[in-house]
Structures are given as C-alpha cells and as structure tokens.
Amino acid sequence: MSVLSNERPIGFIDSGVGGLTVVKEAMRQLPNEEILYLGDTARCPYGPRPAEQVIEFTWQMTRFLLKKNIKMLVIACNTATAVALEEIKKNVDIPVIGVIQPGSRAALKASKTGRVGIIGTLGTIKSDSYRHELHEKAPDTYVSSLACPKFVPIVESNQYNSSVAKKVVSQTLLPLKKEKLDTLILGCTHYPLLRPVIQNAIGQQVTLIDSGAETVSDVSALLDYFNLNNYEQTAKTKTFYTTGSPKMFKDIAGEWLNITDLNVEHIDLGGE
Ligand code: I24
Ligand code: DGL
C-alpha cells in the first residue's frame, strides 16, 4: 500500500465506546472505507475533565493513529472536539473533522424559528463551542445550552430504556422546555441511545439533530473534495484499539455493530 494511496484507513478517536455511534453510521454510508477506531476507555469519561487534560489525551490518540498512516482523522467525541479540534487541525497535515461543525450546520438548516438548544457533557457546554459555531454562521440565532452530566452514566449502566432514564431526562430537560426551541442538538456521542426518551421529554415538535450522523455526511463530502475515496470494492477490515479491557470493548462494540469477530487490540497511551 503506497503512503498516499486512497486505500489508507480513516481514523476515528473517542474517549471510549460512544464514538461507535459515529462508526456505525460510517459503515452504513461508506462501506468501502477501511476504519481504525481508538477509544480511550481506560480514561473515559472526558466530560468532567479539565480542558487541558482532554487536549493532552486527544493529542496522544491523534499521534497513535497518525503512525498507522490514516488519510483522515475524525474526532468522534464532542468533548474532545470542543476543546482540541482547532489545535489539532492546525498541526497535522491530513484533513481533520470534528462533530460540532456538522451538527451545528444541520441544526441551522433544520431550524425555522432560529431557537436552537444544545445538550452535552460539562466540558462541551462549558467550552461554548456549539454556541460559537452557530453564531459564526447565523449571529441572530437564539442559543440555549444545557449540560446533562447524568446522561452518560445512564447509558453506560445499560439503563437508557428504563423508567429511571425517563425520569432523569425529563427532569434535566425541564429548563429547556420553557425555551420554545424548535431544534435540539444531541451534542454527545451517547445521546442517540436516549433519543426516544429525549424526544418524549422535550416534545414531538422539536427536531433532534444527531451530530455523529451529520459528521459522517461531511466525511463523505470531504473524501470527495480531497479525492480520497476508496473505490476498491472488497471487504474492509475494521480495527479497534482500546486503552481498557479488549473483552469488554468487544462485547459492547460487537453487539452495537453486529459483528461477531471484531478485531480489538489493547494499547497503552499514557507515557508517550
Ligand atoms: N454503553 C456504553 N458504554 C458502556 C454501554 C456500556 N455498557 C453497556 N452499555 N460501558 O456507551 C462503558 C464502560 N465500559 C466500556 C468498555 O470497556 C469497559 C468499560 C454507549 C455505547 C454506544 C455504542 C449499553 C450498550 C451495549 C451495547 C450496545 C449499545 C449500548 F451494551 F448502549
Ligand atoms: N464521548 C463523549 C462526548 O461525546 C461522552 C463520554 C465522555 O464524557 O467521555 O462528549
């Protein structure tokens, strides 16, 4: 395989397994692309961590995948995108895409009233990255953002379908209900799993935007733009790296992606 060939993989990085919501969409939209995924499960969640630390961890993941000769990097984690995207984009020489720009653009396209909400982790909301992105493109947008630190633990404890989820989600979203939003951005990898519960709590009149799914549409457009598509129609390998337990990663990813024989490797990122 030549160094510049279009057959090189696309790299995906995330704080853990949540970015698999983006990978699932990538496998659907871009079946001929080879995928490398790195989930920093050992240090997940990133949501409550200080920005400096998330930037450092994101750089470690980026360096690891750059050594694997990826042709494009997708920062599939909202928290990492919020604090590290600009810096990483400036310093690497392959196209880098995060989840915030595509999600924001999709929200502006969908909104009729210009009243847009964002929910995400503490780190994502604190960074105000979504607000900046929305206002850069459409300064008159009314933006209301809310951190939902209880949502990731609900998904990770397998309760995303439960009555606890319904109660916590409707209570948490109460302040947003008063805002008369017509569009709400799911600004976290885990929230698509809570989508029915969130939709029910916020009301059917609100359009939910899945940032991850929007991102894959942008990845596809970027591959076209840079002439980087892989047109070789053969079964593509997917390799998954985790800083945590490969068995646990394999169980979750296997179930989520419907793949029985997943290629999962443990790696260490720390002292690089
Ligand atoms: N979903 C997520 N994280 C988990 C989980 C889950 N456990 C059950 N389900 N655990 O994220 C995180 C901590 N683990 C990670 C692996 O290494 C050890 C520590 C959401 C996943 C989104 C793709 C529920 C669950 C599942 C399978 C598929 C989907 C899902 F078991 F939500
Ligand atoms: N992947 C993170 C995000 O999208 C959620 C999990 C975490 O806090 O690390 O913001």
Side-chain angles (χ1 to χ4, degrees):
M1 197 196 294
S2 97
V3 193
L4 285 173
S5 95
N6 288 15
E7 286 153 37
R8 287 176 297 160
I10 302 174
F12 291 79
I13 56 176
D14 178 50
S15 57
V17 288
L20 294 170
T21 53
V22 186
V23 168
K24 190 171 188 162
E25 189 60 28
M27 286 168 60
R28 201 178 65 79
Q29 286 191 42
L30 303 164
N32 292 322
E33 295 298 335
E34 200 173 301
I35 288 172
L36 293 188
Y37 180 92
L38 166 52
D40 193 6
T41 352
R43 299 186 293 196
C44 192
Y46 282 8
R49 293 181 184 275
E52 294 68 35
Q53 198 176 42
V54 175
I55 294 171
E56 185 193 334
F57 293 175
T58 308
W59 264 120
Q60 289 171 347
M61 292 196 284
T62 301
R63 283 196 290 267
F64 180 89
L65 284 189
L66 284 175
K67 285 187 204 141
K68 303 284 177 195
N69 196 24
I70 52 173
K71 63 182 175 184
M72 187 181 289
L73 177 68
V74 182
I75 305 184
C77 173
N78 288 264
T79 310
T81 300
V83 297
L85 175 69
E86 287 315 314
E87 185 181 318
I88 289 181
K89 228 180 185 169
K90 263 189 238 142
N91 289 286
V92 309
D93 52 14
I94 55 168
V96 183
I97 181 168
V99 279
I100 291 180
Q101 219 177 53
S104 305
R105 199 182 301 127
L108 291 175
K109 281 200 270 183
S111 178
K112 294 177 187 159
T113 61
R115 298 184 72 84
V116 176
I118 309 139
I119 51 176
T121 66
L122 284 167
T124 298
I125 299 306
K126 202 170 160 210
S127 76
D128 250 347
S129 294
Y130 272 103
R131 187 191 301 275
H132 289 146
E133 199 57 46
L134 291 164
H135 279 158
E136 197 179 294
K137 294 200 175 65
D140 294 336
T141 311
Y142 175 80
V143 180
S144 180
S145 66
L146 181 71
C148 306
K150 290 180 180 162
F151 290 10
V152 166
I154 285 178
V155 175
E156 299 211 338
S157 57
N158 224 344
Q159 297 186 82
Y160 53 94
N161 246 332
S162 68
S163 54
V164 176
K166 284 181 193 131
K167 203 169 131 195
V168 172
V169 169
S170 55
Q171 260 168 18
T172 308
L173 297 184
L174 226 49
L176 284 188
K177 277 201 82 154
K178 303 189 194 106
E179 297 275 28
K180 297 203 170 11
L181 309 169
D182 80 338
T183 308
L184 178 65
I185 302 173
L186 306 178
C188 174
T189 50
H190 288 53
Y191 297 177
L193 286 123
L194 286 166
R195 188 180 187 125
V197 180
I198 293 171
Q199 184 79 69
N200 207 41
I202 197 75
Q204 302 301 322
Q205 74 286 358
V206 178
T207 305
L208 301 185
I209 303 292
D210 177 346
S211 285
E214 298 300 335
T215 300
V216 177
S217 308
D218 276 26
V219 169
S220 179
L222 267 188
L223 289 172
D224 293 342
Y225 181 81
F226 287 105
N227 219 344
L228 279 172
N229 286 297
N230 188 352
Y231 294 118
E232 201 204 35
Q233 285 140 352
T234 56
K236 290 303 177 309
T237 57
K238 324 264 178 244
T239 306
F240 298 85
Y241 301 99
T242 173
T243 55
S245 150
K247 174 166 183 336
M248 286 200 280
F249 188 97
K250 204 169 180 166
D251 287 346
I252 294 173
E255 181 183 332
W256 179 246
L257 302 173
N258 279 316
I259 306 178
T260 41
D261 200 18
L262 264 193
N263 191 8
V264 183
E265 288 177 32
H266 170 87
I267 58 148
D268 282 314
L269 280 179
E272 262 191 272

